[in-house]
Amino acid sequence: MDDRRTFNTPIREPWNAPIHNCLKAIDNHMALYLATKNIWHLEKAAELRKYVRELKTWIHAEEERKS
């Protein structure tokens, strides 16, 4: 595990890699948007941000429910 990631739970563990990959995809879409000004990339980055926010909210709710 990355030294910056010092907190983990059994609920959170399986989602760490997918969240990381979504964040990389957001970065890729933003880089392409800045390079091409293709609005599609900006829209996809926004959709992925929304998904990650919703997923993290769900994770927090599950952790609270199971504690």
Side-chain angles (χ1 to χ4, degrees):
M1 185 184 327
D2 190 322
D3 289 339
R4 293 172 294 171
R5 303 248 179 232
T6 58
F7 178 75
N8 206 6
T9 69
I11 294 167
R12 196 174 287 216
E13 177 67 31
W15 296 104
N16 287 335
I19 289 170
H20 178 74
N21 287 332
C22 284
L23 296 176
K24 289 192 312 186
I26 291 166
D27 289 345
N28 289 343
H29 277 298
M30 290 307 298
L32 284 167
Y33 169 71
L34 292 172
T36 67
K37 302 301 185 226
N38 182 338
I39 197 76
W40 184 83
H41 291 291
L42 195 59
E43 292 167 350
K44 296 305 137 189
E47 290 173 15
L48 285 167
R49 280 190 202 96
K50 181 178 186 276
Y51 169 73
V52 170
R53 273 193 311 273
E54 290 174 353
L55 179 56
K56 287 182 172 186
T57 298
W58 176 83
I59 290 168
H60 294 154
E62 286 295 297
E63 288 172 336
E64 181 67 27
R65 189 174 69 78
K66 294 192 177 183
S67 64

